[in-house]
C-alpha cells in the first residue's frame, strides 16, 4: 500500500512500475516487522544465490549481517558514472556527459521489464535530521533487499520521510535502481541534476546503489547547493571538546579511503586526554553546509550511518569505528571466520582465521592463503581492500550529542588533504578564503581501492570531489568563492594536511591516527588566534615548537619534524607548474570556467616562490 498521498511521488512510482514491470510492489515503512521479514527472506535464499545474505554470530555480533558482491562489482565505477545536463559544458571537464534524452532512451531499454518476476521496493528517506531546514527527501526504488537494509542504516528511512515531504511538494530526489543482471558491460550510474533524478543499473555495491549517498548527497546536492546558496562536500565533521569545555567543529575533505572515518573518530593521545580533550563524531563522509542566522557556516551530516572501509580498522587504529560495528551492522566483502561465524579483514589483527571464507566465497586456510604472494606481488587478501561495514551512527561511542541537531554545528575550520608521498607538508594554513579555495582546487592524491582502476596513481582530485561534483568544476570553484564572500570574516579558516608523507625508504614519517590530534590542536589555536606561524610561499606553516610531540619524541625526532614541515622550493615550483598545466589543459581548454581569482592565486604563489 502506498505510504503517501503525494501525487508527484505516486505518478513517478507508477511510471517506474510501467517501465520495470515488477511482479509486486512493497512500500518500505521502516518498521521493525517489515525489516525483520525482509532479513529472514534474504537470509533464506539458497547458497550460491548472488543476493544471499547471512546472519553472523548473534551472540557476538547481534543484528549483524554478511554479504558478498560479485568480484566485478566491488567499488564505485567512475568511468560508468554520468552527469546528464542539457549541455556538455554544464557537466564540465571532470564528468562523463551524455545528452539527457539520449541517456533516458538508452537506459529505458535496459530498465524495460527488468523487474519481471521480482519485487520492487519503494524506499522513502530523509538525508539529514527529520525536520531540519537543511534536510532533503529522497525516494529510492530498488529490486534489492540488500539496498533496503543498507539504506535503513545509512539514512532516516521510512514513512516519516514522507511526513517531511508533505502531500503536495515536488521537492524530492527520484532514484531508480535495478541490479538487473549485474552486467558490468551495461552498468550505468547516471545523475540528471536538472530533474532531481538518479538512474543506476547493473550494480549491487555501495556508492553505486545506495543512492542517498554519493549520487544524491554529493552529485545532485552539489548542484542544488549552488542554486540554493549552500554547499554539499565530501567532508567528515568532528567536534573537539577542549579543557575549557568549548567544542570547536572542524570539517575535512579527503579523497576516498584517505582517512575521513579515522579522523572523524579520533581518540586523542594520553597527553591530550589527561587535560580533558575529547573528540565527537558528527559525520565521516559528507557535509551539507549553509550560513546560519548568526552568519557562521553550519554543517549537518545528511547520513545516519557509516559505510566505512574495513581493512586497517582495528582497536588501535580506530577503536570507535570497530565498536560501531558490534551490532546491527552489515559487512560486505570481508572474510568470514567459520570457527565462530564472525568477520575478519586484513589489519583487524595479526591472526587470519584458519577456517576462513575469503571475500569471493572460497573456503580456505586463512593462514596459508595469506602467506601466498598474489599476482600483484603482495600477499593474497582474505578481505577485499574496499570491503566495508555499514554501521548505525548511534552505535559510535563518540557520536556527537549534536548528531541529530536540525540546526547543525558551526564550523571553525575546513581541512583539505590527500595521500602525498612528497611535496605537501604535514599541515599548513591558507592566507585567506580565496587562497584556501585555490588549495582545495589543487588537492591531488594517490588513488585507492575505493574506485575501480589503478591504485597509487597521483591524480587531481579538487576538494576531494572529482568524482562527485554534479556540474562544471569551474562553476563549483566560483560557488566556493561566492560562499566565502557571503561569510566574510565569519568564514571558517582553511588548512591542508598530509598524513602520508614518506621518507627515503617509503615509510610514513607521521604516526597519524590518534596523533593527528596534535595537528588539530595547532589548527584550533590558529582559529582562536592564540598562536603565531611562519609565513611561507605556500601559506602559514607551524613553528616547529608549536607541534606538540609529548609522548612521541622518539618516533618523531626533530629531524623528522623538519622533513614533515619542509617546503622544498624546487618541488613546489614543479607543483605550481603542474597546477597551471592542469587549469590550462585539463580544465580551461575543456570548457572548465576556472575563475580569474584562482589563476591570480597561481600567479601570486609563483611570484612568492621566485621571490
Ligand atoms: P571513504 O569511506 O572511501 O570516503 O574513505 P575515508 O576517507 O573515510 O578513509 P578511511 O578513514 O576509511 O581510511 C582509509 C585508509 O587510510 C585505511 O586503510 C586507514 O588505515 C588509512 N589511514 C587513515 N588515517 C590514517 C593516518 O592518519 N595515517 C595513515 N598512515 N593511514 C591512515
Ligand atoms: C567513497 O568511495 O568515497 C565512499 C564509498 O565513501 S562509496 O559509498 O562506495 O562511494
Ligand atoms: Mn567517501
Amino acid at each position: 500500500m502506498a505510504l503517501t498521498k503525494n501525487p508527484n511521488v505516486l505518478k513517478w512510482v507508477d511510471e517506474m512500475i510501467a517501465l520495470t514491470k515488477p511482479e509486486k510492489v512493497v512500500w518500505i515503512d521502516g518498521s521493525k516487522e517489515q525489516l525483520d521479514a525482509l532479513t529472514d527472506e534474504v537470509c533464506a535464499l539458497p547458497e550460491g544465490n548472488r543476493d544471499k545474505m547471512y546472519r553472523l554470530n548473534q551472540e557476538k555480533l547481534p543484528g549483524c549481517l554478511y554479504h558478498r558482491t560479485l568480484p566485478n562489482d566491488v567499488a564505485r565505477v567512475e568511468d560508468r558514472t554520468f552527469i546528464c545536463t542539457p549541455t556538455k559544458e554544464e557537466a564540465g571537464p571532470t564528468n562523463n556527459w551524455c545528452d539527457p534524452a539520449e541517456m533516458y532512451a538508452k537506459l529505458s531499454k535496459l530498465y524495460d521489464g527488468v523487474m519481471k518476476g521480482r519485487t520492487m521496493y519503494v524506499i522513502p528517506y530523509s538525508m539529514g535530521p527529520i525536520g531540519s531546514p537543511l534536510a532533503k527527501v529522497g525516494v529510492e526504488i530498488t529490486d534489492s533487499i540488500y539496498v533496503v537494509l543498507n539504506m535503513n542504516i545509512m539514512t532516516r528511512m521510512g514513512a516519516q520521510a514522507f511526513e517531511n515531504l508533505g502531500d503536495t511538494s515536488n521537492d524530492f530526489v527520484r532514484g531508480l535502481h535495478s541490479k538487473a543482471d549485474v552486467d558490468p558491460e551495461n552498468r550505468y550510474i547516471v545523475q540528471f541534476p536538472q530533474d532531481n533524478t538518479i538512474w543506476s543499473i547493473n550494480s549491487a555495491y555501495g556508492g553505486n546503489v545506495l543512492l542517498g549517498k554519493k549520487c544524491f548527497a554529493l552529485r545532485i546536492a552539489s548542484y542544488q547547493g549552488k542554486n540554493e546558496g549552500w554547499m554539499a562536500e565530501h567532508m567528515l565533521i568532528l567536534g573537539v571538546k577542549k579543557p575549557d569545555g568549548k567544542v570547536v567543529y572542524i570539517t575535512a575533505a579527503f579523497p576516498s579511503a584517505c582517512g575521513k572515518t579515522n579522523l572523524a573518530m579520533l581518540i586523542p593521545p594520553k597527553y591530550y586526554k589527561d587535560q580533558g580533550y575529547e573528540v565527537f563524531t558528527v559525520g565521516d563522509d559528507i557535509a551539507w553546509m549553509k550560513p546560519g542566522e548568526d552568519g557562521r557556516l553550519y554543517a549537518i551530516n545528511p547520513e545516519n550511518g557509516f559505510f566505512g572501509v574495513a581493512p586497517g580498522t582495528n582497536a588501535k587504529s580506530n577503536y570507535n569505528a570497530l565498536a560501531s560495528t558490534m551490532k546491527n551492522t552489515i559487512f560486505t566483502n570481508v572474510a568470514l571466520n567459520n570457527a565462530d561465524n564472525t568477520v575478519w579483514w586484513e589489519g583487524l589483527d595479526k591472526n587470519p582465521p584458519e577456517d576462513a571464507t575469503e571475500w569471493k566465497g572460497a573456503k580456505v586456510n586463512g593462514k596459508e592463503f595469506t602467506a601466498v604472494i598474489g599476482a600483484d606481488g603482495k600477499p593474497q587478501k582474505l578481505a577485499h581492500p574496499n570491503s566495508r561495514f555499514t554501521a548505525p551512527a548511534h552505535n559510535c561511542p563518540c557520536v556527537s550529542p549534536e548528531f541529530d541537531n536540525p540546526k547543525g554545528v558551526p564550523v571553525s575550520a575546513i581541512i583539505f588533504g590527500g595521500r602525498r608521498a612528497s611535496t605537501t607538508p604535514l599541515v599548513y594554513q591558507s592566507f585567506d578564503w580565496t587562497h584556501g579555495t585555490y588549495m582545495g582546487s589543487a588537492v591531488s592524491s594517490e588513488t585507492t581501492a575505493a574506485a575501480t582502476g589503478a591504485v597509487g596513481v597521483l591524480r587531481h582530485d579538487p576538494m576531494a570531489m572529482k568524482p562527485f561534483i554534479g556540474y562544471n568544476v569551474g562553476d563549483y570553484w566560483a560557488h566556493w568563492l561566492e560562499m566565502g564572500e557571503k561569510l566574510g570574516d565569519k568564514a571558517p579558516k582553511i588548512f591542508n594536511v598530509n598524513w602520508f608523507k614518506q621518507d627515503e625508504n617509503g615509510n610514513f614519517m607521521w604516526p597519524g591516527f590518534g596523533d593527528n590530534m596534535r595537528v588539530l590542536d595547532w589548527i584550533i589555536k590558529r582559529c582562536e588566534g592564540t598562536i603565531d606561524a611562519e609565513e611561507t610561499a605556500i601559506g602559514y606553516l607551524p613553528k616547529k615548537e608549536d607541534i606538540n610531540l609529548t609522548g612521541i619524541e622518539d618516533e618523531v625526532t626533530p629531524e623528522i619534524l623538519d622533513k614533515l614541515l619542509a617546503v622544498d622550493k624546487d618541488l613546489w615550483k614543479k607543483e605550481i607548474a603542474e597546477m597551471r598545466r592542469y587549469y590550462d589543459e585539463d580544465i580551461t581548454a575543456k570548457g572548465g570556467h576556472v575563475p580569474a581569482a584562482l589563476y591570480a592565486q597561481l600567479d601570486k604563489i609563483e611570484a612568492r616562490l621566485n621571490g
Side-chain angles (χ1 to χ4, degrees):
M1 199 189 68
L3 289 174
T4 177
K5 294 197 207 57
N6 187 307
N8 303 304
V9 175
L10 295 176
K11 176 165 172 283
W12 171 69
V13 172
D14 280 345
E15 286 165 11
M16 296 305 105
I17 292 171
L19 177 62
T20 60
K21 305 178 180 63
E23 185 180 298
K24 205 168 103 187
V25 178
V26 172
W27 291 70
I28 299 297
D29 59 20
S31 66
K32 186 170 182 310
E33 298 70 44
Q34 190 184 41
L35 293 168
D36 285 348
L38 288 173
T39 305
D40 287 343
E41 184 181 332
V42 80
C43 291
L45 289 171
E47 202 63 43
N49 184 305
R50 67 170 179 244
D51 296 327
K52 185 170 175 61
M53 295 178 75
Y54 301 81
R55 279 200 174 82
L56 291 162
N57 184 322
Q58 293 298 299
E59 263 154 47
K60 292 186 175 167
L61 297 168
C64 290
L65 300 171
Y66 171 71
H67 179 62
R68 286 189 294 269
T69 61
L70 290 179
N72 71 32
D73 188 32
V74 293
R76 284 183 296 101
V77 279
E78 295 182 5
D79 55 330
R80 309 209 60 100
T81 299
F82 288 79
I83 300 293
C84 293
T85 43
T87 64
K88 184 170 167 38
E89 193 176 348
E90 286 164 277
T94 55
N95 287 307
N96 300 313
W97 175 84
C98 177
D99 173 71
E102 204 178 297
M103 186 58 94
Y104 278 127
K106 177 163 146 178
L107 294 190
S108 290
K109 287 198 192 115
L110 297 179
Y111 281 114
D112 187 9
V114 76
M115 294 191 194
K116 270 185 194 155
R118 295 185 185 178
T119 302
M120 169 192 278
Y121 303 97
V122 183
I123 309 172
Y125 63 96
S126 170
M127 296 311 284
I130 298 277
S132 165
L134 284 94
K136 295 229 174 224
V137 174
V139 182
E140 174 165 356
I141 286 175
T142 180
D143 51 9
S144 160
I145 294 178
Y146 173 77
V147 167
V148 175
L149 298 179
N150 273 275
M151 287 294 282
N152 179 49
I153 299 171
M154 293 307 296
T155 73
R156 279 99 171 160
M157 184 186 86
Q160 54 179 1
F162 278 142
E163 284 165 30
N164 232 36
L165 182 66
D167 283 346
T168 55
S169 171
N170 195 24
D171 186 12
F172 66 97
V173 170
R174 298 145 158 80
L176 172 63
H177 166 249
S178 174
K179 62 200 175 198
D181 300 319
V182 203
D183 170 11
E185 302 299 320
N186 282 305
R187 185 168 295 157
Y188 289 93
I189 317 299
V190 183
Q191 285 69 204
F192 303 92
Q194 278 73 9
D195 302 342
N196 274 344
T197 295
I198 304 156
W199 280 14
S200 160
I201 190 161
N202 276 307
S203 173
Y205 181 82
N208 297 332
V209 301
L210 309 178
L211 301 185
K213 197 170 176 56
K214 298 304 162 73
C215 302
F216 176 174
L218 289 178
R219 298 194 189 101
I220 299 279
S222 61
Y223 177 73
Q224 295 175 327
K226 179 189 75 127
N227 294 328
E228 299 167 9
W230 53 282
M231 309 165 88
E233 300 295 337
H234 194 198
M235 291 178 179
L236 68 93
I237 311 166
L238 64 77
V240 179
K241 186 167 168 197
K242 300 184 305 153
D244 64 8
K246 225 182 110 197
V247 183
V248 178
Y249 292 96
I250 299 174
T251 67
F254 308 154
S256 301
C258 290
K260 288 184 300 302
T261 302
N262 276 272
L263 188 64
M265 300 178 190
L266 172 154
I267 295 178
K270 184 173 182 318
Y271 171 85
Y272 285 92
K273 266 199 221 158
D274 287 350
Q275 289 180 55
Y277 279 92
E278 261 182 279
V279 167
F280 296 106
T281 310
V282 182
D284 83 325
D285 198 50
I286 300 178
W288 285 359
M289 303 189 290
K290 191 178 183 176
E293 279 165 19
D294 61 1
R296 294 186 68 190
L297 190 63
Y298 281 74
I300 63 162
N301 172 9
E303 303 191 278
N304 200 27
F306 310 123
F307 187 62
V309 179
T313 305
N314 61 55
K316 191 162 173 280
S317 68
N318 195 343
Y319 167 83
N320 288 313
L322 193 65
S324 304
T325 67
M326 289 298 149
K327 59 180 186 197
N328 303 327
T329 292
I330 299 172
F331 295 90
T332 304
N333 296 336
V334 301
L336 280 178
N337 180 350
N338 297 316
D340 62 354
N341 193 26
T342 57
V343 287
W344 193 86
W345 49 77
E346 277 66 24
L348 176 66
D349 55 43
K350 295 202 167 81
N351 298 307
E354 279 179 34
D355 183 3
T357 302
E358 50 84 88
W359 69 269
K360 292 199 279 313
K363 289 217 177 356
V364 296
N365 178 321
K367 290 206 191 331
E368 288 169 9
F369 185 84
T370 51
V372 175
I373 302 299
D376 60 356
K378 293 181 187 145
Q380 296 193 102
K381 294 199 174 359
L382 287 174
H384 188 276
N386 193 38
S387 54
R388 300 253 170 181
F389 52 80
T390 318
H394 282 286
N395 277 2
C396 183
C398 64
V399 67
S400 166
E402 304 299 321
F403 185 84
D404 293 302
N405 185 340
K407 277 172 59 181
V409 296
V411 180
S412 296
I414 292 175
I415 305 178
F416 294 114
R419 284 176 190 262
R420 293 298 303 267
S422 69
T423 313
T424 312
L426 178 63
V427 59
Y428 64 107
Q429 182 187 359
S430 74
F431 293 120
D432 53 36
W433 181 277
T434 306
H435 178 219
T437 302
Y438 165 82
M439 268 164 41
S441 81
V443 169
S444 41
S445 188
E446 289 138 24
T447 51
T448 66
T452 54
V455 169
V457 182
L458 191 65
R459 76 158 182 184
H460 287 278
D461 192 348
M463 279 79 172
M465 282 284 281
K466 152 99 183 41
F468 309 122
I469 303 167
Y471 59 107
N472 189 299
V473 60
D475 297 340
Y476 165 80
W477 291 333
H479 181 52
W480 263 82
L481 295 172
E482 278 163 29
M483 291 299 296
E485 267 172 45
K486 198 184 289 180
L487 292 161
D489 60 4
K490 298 209 165 115
K493 303 275 185 282
I494 300 180
F495 299 82
N496 196 92
V497 301
N498 179 19
W499 312 143
F500 300 93
K501 209 170 182 188
Q502 293 177 13
D503 64 16
E504 310 76 50
N505 304 318
N507 300 313
F508 295 128
M509 291 192 283
W510 178 248
F513 302 99
D515 288 311
N516 293 332
M517 179 67 216
R518 302 167 192 277
V519 173
L520 296 183
D521 181 19
W522 183 78
I523 288 173
I524 290 167
K525 291 188 171 126
R526 288 296 296 165
C527 290
E528 294 180 333
T530 54
I531 205 169
D532 269 355
E534 302 281 356
E535 192 169 333
T536 76
I538 65 164
Y540 295 116
L541 263 92
K543 297 187 163 163
K544 306 269 145 59
E545 63 272 20
D546 287 338
I547 297 291
N548 186 312
L549 297 176
T550 310
I552 54 167
E553 300 91 340
D554 293 349
E555 206 174 336
V556 183
T557 60
E559 298 73 51
I560 292 178
L561 188 64
D562 274 345
K563 286 186 193 165
L564 282 165
L565 294 177
V567 178
D568 180 322
K569 282 209 173 174
D570 290 333
L571 285 180
W572 272 96
K573 282 179 193 168
K574 280 191 200 139
E575 181 87 2
I576 298 304
E578 167 53 25
M579 268 311 287
R580 196 174 287 284
R581 187 210 61 76
Y582 172 65
Y583 275 2
D584 284 348
E585 292 176 21
D586 295 358
I587 309 293
T588 304
K590 293 180 177 157
H593 307 175
V594 179
L598 294 190
Y599 266 115
Q601 286 292 321
L602 260 187
D603 297 340
K604 282 194 199 173
I605 301 170
E606 214 162 40
R608 287 195 295 262
L609 282 167
N610 290 324

